[in-house]
Amino acid sequence: MLNERMEEGLNKQIVAELYSAYLYLAMSAYCHASKMPGMGHWMKKQALEEESHALKIFDYVAANGRARLSAIEAPPAEWDSPLAVAKGVLAHEKKVTAMIEALVETAKEEKDAATEEFLAWFIEEQEEEEESAAKLVQMLSGAQDAQALARVDAELGKR
Ligand code: MG
């Protein structure tokens, strides 16, 4: 069974992952409105991945304690540019990595080896998320005109 502190932390993470899904869906909407449907598709795929993260934690908490859901904050609706969106993704993923690391610390402090092991998957996942976000920033930073941006958009649409 999860102790109260661990359970509360994991429940907060469920909401954080759902917020991530919500954020990427909002980014997807912005990309579509900005005539970047490929990037919009990339963001929607990302949103679905975040939803799967939330459900993975939900399943763990529901099986080992009590999953409790709270309000999901509204995401922003506007960004300055597709590059700003990409930078937003990278900044957000760094924040999520710090949250997962804090949960690992809690698991260690609470001597909860099972949860620590459960979280190891998320630590690895965050490395990949930060890598793909950094690549996204790099791709968009290099796109200086409409033609280059269209090429990046087509590439992102393949995800
Ligand atoms: Mg996630």
Side-chain angles (χ1 to χ4, degrees):
M1 281 303 273
L2 293 164
N3 76 18
E4 204 177 314
R5 183 175 172 225
M6 196 75 253
E7 184 180 273
E8 197 189 327
L10 290 168
N11 275 327
K12 278 193 181 145
Q13 195 61 33
I14 295 172
V15 177
E17 299 291 340
L18 288 173
Y19 174 76
S20 297
Y22 226 30
L23 174 66
Y24 293 139
L25 212 48
M27 286 173 165
S28 177
Y30 169 84
C31 292
H32 279 284
S34 306
K35 306 283 174 270
M36 293 281 285
M39 189 172 174
H41 167 81
W42 194 99
M43 290 297 157
K44 198 185 109 180
K45 278 270 173 103
Q46 191 62 33
L48 290 170
E49 208 171 288
E50 298 304 341
E51 186 192 53
S52 79
H53 294 165
L55 294 177
K56 207 176 166 90
I57 303 169
F58 173 86
D59 287 343
Y60 181 79
V61 179
N64 297 289
R66 179 70 155 92
R68 291 183 196 279
L69 305 174
S70 49
I72 305 166
E73 195 190 322
E78 301 295 339
W79 285 265
D80 288 339
S81 63
L83 176 59
V85 170
K87 286 179 176 170
V89 172
L90 182 57
H92 182 70
E93 288 304 328
K94 285 186 175 174
K95 238 169 76 181
V96 173
T97 299
M99 292 172 90
I100 302 280
E101 283 169 352
L103 282 174
V104 170
E105 276 316 299
T106 302
K108 282 181 179 158
E109 284 164 19
E110 300 299 330
K111 305 199 189 320
D112 183 344
T115 299
E116 198 184 332
E117 198 184 306
F118 169 73
L119 291 168
W121 183 88
F122 286 88
I123 291 286
E124 259 182 56
E125 179 68 14
Q126 281 312 118
E127 274 174 36
E128 281 173 32
E129 298 285 29
E130 283 194 34
E131 241 172 69
S132 68
K135 197 180 157 206
L136 193 67
V137 171
Q138 195 186 27
M139 283 170 84
L140 286 154
S141 299
Q144 301 292 353
D145 55 37
Q147 256 185 345
L149 211 53
R151 274 198 301 275
V152 168
D153 191 58
E155 187 61 32
L156 293 173
K158 291 179 193 161
R159 178 175 181 184

